[in-house]
Amino acid sequence: MRVTRASDIDFRNNRPRGCSRAATPFAAALAAVWTDIAAANTSNGYNLPIGVTSLSQGMYALHMEVFWICVGIAIVVFGAMIYSLVKFRRSQGAIPDTTMVHSTKVEIIWTIVPVIILVVMAVPAADLILKQEDTRNSELSIRVTGYQWKWQYQYMDAGEGVDFFSTLKQDSNFARQLDSGVDPFSVPNYLLDVDKPLVIPSGTKVRLLLTSMDVIHAWWVPDFGAKRSAIPGFVNELWFKVDSGKEGIYRGQCAALCGRDHGFMPVVVDVRTPDDFKKWVEEQKAAAKQAAAPSSAPPSSAQVLN
Ligand SMILES: [Cu+2]
C-alpha cells in the first residue's frame, strides 16, 4: 500500500498532490488520516511516533490496540443507535414499549461485557508499566539535573567524570529575541537544538536519574517513549534502550511548565554505536584534563607586573 506523507498533500488546496478531481477538503483530510492509520505511518503527526526503543514500540502497540477497541465499540453503539432511530421512528408507525422497564439479563450483559473489555486493556497496560519501572541491570547511568532553563548531564559507570550543561543553541536563542529580525523558519531545528547534546550508546540500557535544582521540569523524548518529572529534592528514575542500528539525533523538550523560558530548554540526544560512544567519552575526559591542567606557559609580562 502506498503510504501518504505530509509532503504528498497539497495543503493549500487540502487534497493529495496530483489529484485531478476536486475532493472536498474534509474528505481529503479524512482519506489521508485513514490511509496513514491503516499503514501505521506516524511521520506526519497524525499518530504517536512508533519510536526506537522497545518501550516506545510497546506504547504504540498498546495505543493502537485500545484505539481499535474504541473503533469497535463506536461501530456497535452508534450502529445500534442509528439503526433504531431510522427503523423505529414514529412516521413508520412504531409504538413505544412501555412494559419493559427492567431486564436482569440485559443488565448482566452490559456489566460483564465492559468488564471483559477493561481487563483486555488493563493486562497489557500493567505489563508495560512494570517494564517501564524496571531499571535493574542498566549498563550506563546518567544524572540529569534540570535548571531554569537548561539541563546538566553527569555520567556515571562507563562515562564517569563526564559532566556538562546543555543549553539552547545560539542561533535559536538569537532568533527568539523580540525584534531579532530573524525568520524562525530559516533556523534549522528552531528551539529544538542545543549546544551540547546528551550522547548515549545504542543497544545499551541507559538509566537516567532525574532531579532539579529549582522548579519541576520534565525530561521528554517522544521517540524513546521516555518522559519523567525532574523534581527538586527527589531522584526519579527512567530507562530506555535504543535499538542497535537506530543511531542518530533524537529531539524532545522540557514537558513541565517551569517558568518564563520553559519553551527554550530542549532535549537533544545523540545516539552513537558503543565504539563511537567510547571514543567520545575518551575525548571528553582528555578535554576536561587539559582544561584542568595548570598552564605550563611562562607568565606574561602583564602577570609579572601584577
Ligand atoms: Cu523546564
Side-chain angles (χ1 to χ4, degrees), residues 26 39 42 47 53 71 79 108 132 152 161 173 188 216 228 230 232 240 254:
F26 180 71
T42 62
N47 206 343
T53 65
V71 169
I108 290 172
Q132 264 183 296
Q152 184 183 17
N173 198 29
I216 298 175
R228 192 132 301 183
F240 45 81
C254 174

Side-chain angles (χ1 to χ4, degrees), residues 19-59:
C19 177
S20 54
R21 265 189 315 134
T24 62
F26 180 71
L30 206 63
V33 171
W34 183 254
T35 313
D36 289 328
I37 289 171
N41 174 33
T42 62
S43 62
N44 55 21
Y46 288 136
N47 206 343
L48 292 180
I50 297 174
V52 292
T53 65
S54 58
L55 286 181
S56 69
Q57 287 150 12
M59 284 172 202

Side-chain angles (χ1 to χ4, degrees), residues 3 8 20 58 96 113 133 141 226 274 305:
V3 172
D8 293 337
S20 54
V113 170
E133 298 301 319
S141 295
L305 285 172

Side-chain angles (χ1 to χ4, degrees), residues 216-255:
I216 298 175
H217 302 270
W219 197 91
W220 176 43
V221 176
D223 278 314
F224 294 176
K227 177 180 170 189
R228 192 132 301 183
S229 296
I231 303 171
F234 285 84
V235 177
N236 279 342
E237 282 184 308
L238 170 70
W239 77 270
F240 45 81
K241 184 175 179 175
V242 177
D243 296 341
S244 295
K246 293 286 182 186
E247 292 80 14
I249 302 286
Y250 295 93
R251 299 176 197 281
Q253 285 162 295
C254 174

Side-chain angles (χ1 to χ4, degrees), residues 80-203:
M81 213 168 88
I82 292 164
Y83 174 79
S84 306
L85 286 170
V86 173
K87 175 90 177 166
F88 304 109
R89 62 190 192 274
R90 195 165 61 172
S91 63
Q92 295 296 89
I95 300 157
D97 179 0
T98 51
T99 54
M100 200 194 96
V101 290
H102 178 77
S103 166
T104 308
K105 203 197 282 178
V106 168
E107 288 201 1
I108 290 172
I109 291 170
W110 76 37
T111 304
I112 288 178
V113 170
V115 167
I116 293 170
I117 294 171
L118 284 176
V119 170
V120 166
M121 293 195 288
V123 170
D127 183 52
L128 193 61
I129 289 172
L130 289 176
K131 275 188 197 143
Q132 264 183 296
E133 298 301 319
D134 184 4
T135 54
R136 288 173 299 174
N137 303 322
S138 60
E139 296 153 272
L140 174 66
S141 295
I142 303 167
R143 180 174 152 174
V144 179
T145 310
Y147 290 82
Q148 286 176 316
W149 288 273
K150 54 184 174 274
W151 296 101
Q152 184 183 17
Y153 298 115
Q154 292 166 296
Y155 287 65
M156 301 170 202
D157 305 325
E160 186 73 57
V162 177
D163 178 351
F164 59 87
F165 283 90
S166 181
T167 49
L168 183 67
K169 206 168 182 187
Q170 209 51 51
D171 52 359
S172 281
N173 198 29
F174 182 72
R176 80 175 174 102
Q177 306 296 329
L178 190 66
D179 299 328
S180 69
V182 178
D183 177 10
F185 288 103
S186 68
V187 179
N189 299 307
Y190 178 60
L191 301 185
L192 286 174
D193 217 349
V194 294
D195 54 354
K196 219 166 161 10
L198 173 70
V199 179
I200 58 159
S202 59

